[in-house]
Amino acid sequence: MDGTTHTAHGWTVAGRHFASRLVVGTGKYKDLETTAAAIEASGAEMVTVAVRRVNLSDRKAPMLQDFVDPQRYTYLPNTAGCFTADEAVRTLRLAREAGGWNLVKLEVLGPQPTLYPDMAATLLAAEALIKDRFEVMVYCSDDPVAAKRLEEMGCVAIMPLGAPIGSGLGVQNPLMIQMIIENAKVPVLVDAGVGTAWDAAYAMELGCDAVLVNSAIAMADDPVKMAVAMKHGVIAGRLAYEAGRIPRKNYASASSPMTGLIR
């Protein structure tokens, strides 16, 4: 298998097809050169862009588009830094006016120290954005009921957190993530909490369609090497999921038959 793709068929969201099952953020890197190098190394085709934090329009300052080509990568504007439904909706409307982006990532956060998704505000914002003809990929809590409600509203992808943003703890509630996946008819991506390639592989082994990683790559000692590790972690996890793991057992099971042994 070509190491730049994750499966022969990849995944599709809102009619857009991607070979890579790794989505990479563009924030928190030390500079735009490192951002570009890490994204290149990751093999990702979709990148998230924090509209309120990344320079997309001021030509007097370095612009993300000069380093990460929007003709090559699908930009996914997000509402990082928004703490109310109104802030999130206004941010994405401005993004659409500025760049014509219609596929977006919605996130509305609660206060410190958890920065946990504010689901009441998320539902309000999602309703307004869908009514305004946005294609909404939505960051949410690892709650199967809330996730299904967002899907039924018309969200094109569900993105439950694996663990609190930037924590690096990995998937803390695999049962709930699996329940979301089993009940979803749209793509499910683990978003937030990934710390290393093992976490990405584990999320994929649970059956996720893709994984979104930002801090774990951007804040690694070597972001480019970590981007490569994440690429292969996602590939390995997806292949293991498709292959089908052996059942867990509470007893030993010999790998060779016990009959016909030479005496």
Side-chain angles (χ1 to χ4, degrees):
M1 174 173 290
D2 184 345
T4 62
T5 61
H6 293 199
T7 70
H9 303 294
W11 68 294
T12 300
V13 59
R16 298 164 177 83
H17 186 75
F18 300 93
S20 170
R21 292 180 181 270
L22 177 62
V23 180
V24 177
T26 55
K28 301 185 179 181
Y29 291 89
K30 66 179 181 179
D31 52 46
L32 287 169
E33 289 82 3
T34 305
T35 306
I39 292 171
E40 171 77 25
S42 76
E45 298 162 296
M46 177 189 287
V47 297
T48 62
V49 180
V51 177
R52 304 184 74 186
R53 295 174 176 163
V54 174
N55 178 29
L56 296 170
S57 58
D58 183 3
R59 280 288 171 189
K60 297 178 182 178
M63 295 178 64
L64 179 65
Q65 298 98 310
D66 295 332
F67 294 83
V68 180
D69 185 358
Q71 299 302 313
R72 177 179 177 186
Y73 298 98
T74 295
Y75 273 33
L76 183 67
N78 71 37
T79 56
C82 291
F83 293 86
T84 69
D86 183 62
E87 281 182 333
V89 172
R90 284 190 288 108
T91 296
L92 291 177
R93 285 174 176 163
L94 287 171
R96 182 160 66 181
E97 289 177 13
W101 295 296
N102 201 56
L103 179 66
V104 297
K105 179 195 165 189
L106 169 65
E107 59 181 84
V108 186
L109 302 180
Q112 294 275 15
T114 66
L115 295 177
Y116 209 73
D118 182 332
M119 291 312 299
T122 298
L123 287 160
L124 284 173
E127 183 178 27
L129 290 166
I130 292 166
K131 185 176 181 180
D132 207 12
R133 298 176 183 267
F134 281 93
E135 295 168 317
V136 180
M137 299 175 64
V138 59
Y139 174 64
C140 62
S141 60
D142 51 355
D143 175 354
V145 176
K148 194 63 182 178
R149 185 170 299 169
L150 287 163
E151 178 186 335
E152 290 172 346
M153 288 173 62
C155 292
V156 299
I158 305 301
M159 306 175 74
L161 81 169
I165 290 174
S167 67
L169 291 170
V171 176
Q172 292 294 294
N173 203 338
L175 176 60
M176 292 298 101
I177 297 294
Q178 282 187 310
M179 289 180 68
I180 290 171
I181 293 167
E182 289 168 2
N183 287 287
K185 296 179 181 178
V186 297
V188 175
L189 297 77
V190 157
D191 177 9
V194 171
T196 189
W198 183 89
D199 300 323
Y202 183 46
M204 295 304 299
E205 286 182 27
L206 293 175
C208 290
D209 294 279
V211 175
L212 194 157
V213 182
N214 188 11
S215 297
I217 295 175
M219 301 181 74
D221 291 341
D222 188 330
V224 174
K225 279 188 177 179
M226 185 60 79
V228 175
M230 290 294 181
K231 176 176 74 172
H232 290 294
V234 169
I235 292 170
R238 182 64 189 188
L239 288 173
Y241 171 75
E242 292 178 353
R245 63 160 293 137
I246 63 171
R248 289 183 171 88
K249 301 175 182 177
N250 293 325
Y251 53 86
S253 179
S255 57
S256 300
M258 299 300 290
T259 57
L261 297 178
I262 298 174
R263 304 292 182 182

